[in-house]
Amino acid sequence: MKRYGNIYEKIYSYDNLLKAHHNARKGKGFYQEVKKFNSNEDYYIKQIQKMLIDKTYKTSDYTVFTIVDRGKEREIYKLPYFPDRVVQWAIMLQLEPIFLETFIYDSYAAIPNKGMHLASTRLSKWLKYDKENTLYCFKMDIKKFFPNINHDILKQLLRRKIKDEDVLVLLDEIIDSTEKGIPIGNYISQYFANFYLTYFDHWIKEELQIKYYMRYMDDLIILHSSKEHLHQIKQKIEQYLRNELRLTIKENWQVFPVDVRGIDFVGYRHFRNYTLLRKSTYKNFRKNMNKINKKKRLSDSDICSVRSYEGWLMWCNSYNLREKYIKL
């Protein structure tokens, strides 16, 4: 397995830091801290460069707040734009290709040119073209995944791909910037999380010889012709996660016949020959569209909501919904 070195100097190069700033500021040009950075790019980039060369960079204090996401409370960690968000972008400009080459094809969350719509399309093809081997589905997610990522294990895994000691020290410092787990909100966290499970993915594909396996961050599904085999796989997965990664399966795991109810995954309900919106998404869509359609004049926010829903609907069988609710 190839390990990579000679990375650190590339991270702190002026051109890399400038590109990191330009990427990090996208969609955030109205933030005061971004405007301040933009007003004197050369000064702030050289300040970051000096921190990295002198190895004085330390992760700043987080601002922590709670959001409710699909009925679940999640703690979000926010770092200042200067220097932290630019530093994390600079790191990932160099490390992203290394991470990407380790990921299996059927990992879809927070990966360039992937995402839930591609995952949904792929799952639909499996169901449509191989009924015999997709009779049953094992569906599970990992209990409190981000908060339970083990720092020491993550560091060991990173050392399987990276041998540049300066980079590893920098990554260790970011990992240890929170007491436990990795913080939701850091740009680098989504790559850490995917990388934490990448050797687990390879184990499932190569050791267990699972053909129909798909993961979207900590949600995963496996399809097979035998429900008994899926129960055996579940036990092996449970043991691997516990012993190798110090993780546990959430209690709501299921093994069920696909043709009875379809597969609810990545926002859609997947059947053999058609795909529908997830029930909760449909209810929110109907509620919000009814409110919007009663208005005489639409705000920019209303129009954005409609366009967003149109984006969701285009990936499923939704002709009747669009005819009934989309009035623009």
Side-chain angles (χ1 to χ4, degrees):
M1 181 181 297
K2 184 176 180 180
R3 296 171 68 230
Y4 291 85
N6 301 315
I7 305 169
Y8 194 69
E9 290 184 4
K10 297 175 184 177
I11 291 173
Y12 69 65
S13 75
Y14 188 94
D15 288 344
N16 190 64
L17 292 170
L18 180 63
K19 185 176 180 181
H21 162 53
H22 289 171
N23 286 348
R25 73 182 181 183
K26 288 179 181 176
K28 301 178 177 67
F30 57 93
Y31 288 14
Q32 287 303 313
E33 54 185 340
V34 177
K35 289 180 179 179
K36 183 177 179 181
F37 198 114
N38 285 337
S39 70
N40 198 347
E41 277 186 348
D42 184 67
Y43 169 78
Y44 288 110
I45 288 171
K46 287 180 177 177
Q47 287 293 305
I48 295 174
Q49 187 178 50
K50 187 175 188 306
M51 292 179 199
L52 293 173
I53 292 173
D54 295 345
K55 298 174 184 164
T56 58
Y57 169 77
K58 299 293 181 185
T59 304
S60 302
D61 291 337
Y62 289 96
T63 300
V64 184
F65 56 95
T66 302
I67 65 168
V68 177
D69 178 23
R70 291 179 292 176
K72 302 176 185 177
E73 286 194 353
R74 300 187 188 276
E75 281 193 336
I76 306 298
Y77 290 70
K78 183 180 178 182
L79 286 171
Y81 185 82
F82 170 84
D84 302 276
R85 281 188 260 176
V86 176
V87 167
Q88 291 197 13
W89 266 95
I91 292 170
M92 289 313 307
L93 283 172
Q94 298 304 318
L95 295 191
E96 183 182 71
I98 298 172
F99 284 144
L100 292 181
E101 74 168 24
T102 70
F103 297 158
I104 64 167
Y105 180 83
D106 287 308
S107 175
Y108 291 91
I111 296 175
N113 303 314
K114 290 288 189 75
M116 59 180 58
H117 297 312
L118 185 62
S120 175
T121 301
R122 175 88 157 161
L123 176 54
S124 296
K125 288 181 179 178
W126 290 352
L127 296 178
K128 184 175 182 179
Y129 294 112
D130 194 356
K131 181 176 180 180
E132 181 180 353
N133 292 305
T134 59
L135 293 176
Y136 295 93
C137 177
F138 168 47
K139 185 171 182 285
M140 58 149 279
D141 60 342
I142 295 171
K143 190 172 184 178
K144 296 183 178 178
F145 176 48
F146 275 72
N148 283 325
I149 288 177
N150 183 281
H151 288 192
D152 291 335
I153 294 174
L154 176 57
K155 292 175 187 178
Q156 291 169 13
L157 292 174
L158 288 167
R159 280 156 175 78
R160 294 173 68 171
K161 292 300 293 182
I162 300 168
K163 61 182 179 182
D164 187 318
E165 191 59 34
D166 289 334
V167 173
L168 291 169
V169 169
L170 178 59
L171 295 178
D172 288 352
E173 196 282 327
I174 295 172
I175 291 168
D176 289 333
S177 64
T178 53
E179 187 175 338
K180 58 176 290 190
I182 57 174
I184 298 173
N186 272 0
Y187 175 57
I188 205 169
S189 289
Q190 58 196 10
Y191 286 91
F192 281 161
N194 266 326
F195 187 73
Y196 196 75
L197 292 178
T198 195
Y199 295 105
F200 166 72
D201 294 336
H202 284 281
W203 173 74
I204 287 181
K205 296 292 291 181
E206 296 153 20
E207 297 294 325
L208 301 186
Q209 296 287 299
I210 300 299
K211 181 178 182 180
Y212 295 121
Y213 165 73
M214 180 180 293
R215 180 171 65 80
Y216 192 89
M217 198 52 78
D218 62 320
D219 294 331
L220 68 85
I221 56 171
I222 295 174
L223 308 180
H224 201 270
S225 59
S226 165
K227 67 177 180 180
E228 289 78 15
H229 186 67
L230 287 178
H231 279 284
Q232 293 171 5
I233 292 298
K234 181 259 179 183
Q235 292 178 351
K236 291 178 180 179
I237 286 175
E238 206 165 28
Q239 184 176 12
Y240 183 102
L241 291 175
R242 181 175 60 250
N243 294 342
E244 301 295 328
L245 298 175
R246 305 293 187 267
L247 297 172
T248 57
I249 294 176
K250 195 178 288 186
E251 295 81 1
N252 62 352
W253 65 271
Q254 304 169 61
V255 174
F256 57 89
V258 170
D259 291 322
V260 171
R261 63 192 230 198
I263 301 172
D264 187 334
F265 193 64
V266 293
Y268 298 96
R269 294 161 59 209
H270 301 83
F271 299 87
R272 294 285 177 195
N273 297 305
Y274 60 95
T275 303
L276 303 177
L277 278 182
R278 175 178 283 160
K279 285 184 179 180
S280 59
T281 306
Y282 162 69
K283 289 179 180 178
N284 287 332
F285 163 73
R286 182 182 61 187
K287 177 183 177 182
N288 291 333
M289 287 307 305
N290 281 334
K291 287 182 179 178
I292 290 172
N293 288 331
K294 290 177 181 178
K295 295 182 178 181
K296 293 182 179 180
R297 178 176 295 178
L298 301 185
S299 66
D300 289 343
S301 177
D302 293 330
I303 294 172
C304 287
S305 293
V306 175
R307 298 305 181 214
S308 176
Y309 280 124
E310 286 179 325
W312 276 90
L313 294 173
M314 69 181 290
W315 292 93
C316 65
N317 298 86
S318 59
Y319 176 81
N320 290 335
L321 289 181
R322 283 184 276 118
E323 287 294 302
K324 185 175 181 179
Y325 292 106
I326 303 292
K327 304 298 184 182
L328 293 186

